[in-house]
Amino acid sequence: MSINSTLRKFATPLTVGTFLVTGVTGTLWYFHIVTDAGRWLHEIIGLVMMGAVALHLILNWRAFLTYFKRPIALVLMIGFLAMTIGGYVIPESETEGGPRGGVAAIMMFGEKDLATLAPVFGVDADGLTSKMIAAGYEDATATSTVIDLVGAEPGKLLNAFAVMGE
């Protein structure tokens, strides 16, 4: 049995399997359903997928080259390559007045004090303050803003809001 025939047994199943994992985890991530295991799977299996696709291309190189003779396939491949490069070369922009979209909302809520936010989380100011103190934010008072307690980093703000929602 040649090495090519052995590799062919694995190239397509590896490509399909890794695509399924990264496709499902990426879709869940898009809908903000992220777990540590899901993030790990997406990242690590995504790397494995790159190897599987490379192996698949090597084994099917002649067939792959025929796609470059088809205008629609060529346009699609160049388009996806341009999107990938553009996603890392084009600088991120901010709207006038600060950060974009969800980050702006997170920052806006982060600037509110616990007494103002308490009704949003279905508790009174003392209840929310107690929750924050119990979660390790010892300096929390009803007049503390979330940014006062955790800083202005969006990830830390989201973690604080998760505590408030528990």
Side-chain angles (χ1 to χ4, degrees):
M1 185 182 292
S2 74
I3 191 149
N4 263 1
S5 63
T6 303
L7 292 176
R8 284 188 190 282
K9 290 180 182 178
F10 295 100
T12 299
L14 270 173
T15 303
V16 171
T18 56
F19 169 78
L20 287 172
V21 172
T22 57
V24 169
T25 56
T27 300
L28 291 171
W29 202 332
Y30 176 80
F31 290 106
H32 306 286
I33 303 169
V34 183
T35 63
D36 288 339
R39 184 182 315 258
W40 182 88
L41 279 170
H42 187 79
E43 292 172 355
I44 300 304
I45 300 301
L47 292 172
V48 174
M49 182 180 186
M50 295 299 292
V53 168
L55 178 63
H56 193 274
L57 283 174
I58 290 167
L59 292 172
N60 297 288
W61 188 248
R62 277 188 274 167
F64 177 66
L65 289 177
T66 63
Y67 285 103
F68 290 100
K69 296 176 184 172
R70 300 176 184 160
I72 190 79
L74 189 57
V75 167
L76 285 170
M77 288 187 279
I78 291 170
F80 283 112
L81 179 62
M83 282 190 285
T84 302
I85 293 169
Y88 290 90
V89 173
I90 298 170
E92 290 191 25
S93 63
E94 292 186 354
T95 58
E96 277 187 42
R100 301 179 296 168
V103 174
I106 292 166
M107 298 303 291
M108 182 184 74
F109 280 107
E111 293 169 353
K112 304 298 179 195
D113 61 43
L114 297 183
T116 303
L117 292 172
V120 174
F121 294 99
V123 295
D124 62 13
D126 290 336
L128 189 55
T129 302
S130 297
K131 253 189 200 186
M132 296 303 285
I133 291 170
Y137 301 101
E138 292 88 14
D139 297 332
T141 66
T143 58
S144 301
T145 68
V146 183
I147 289 176
D148 291 340
L149 297 173
V150 302
E153 183 183 318
K156 290 181 179 180
L157 289 168
L158 285 174
N159 288 337
F161 294 136
V163 167
M164 291 180 204
E166 291 175 346

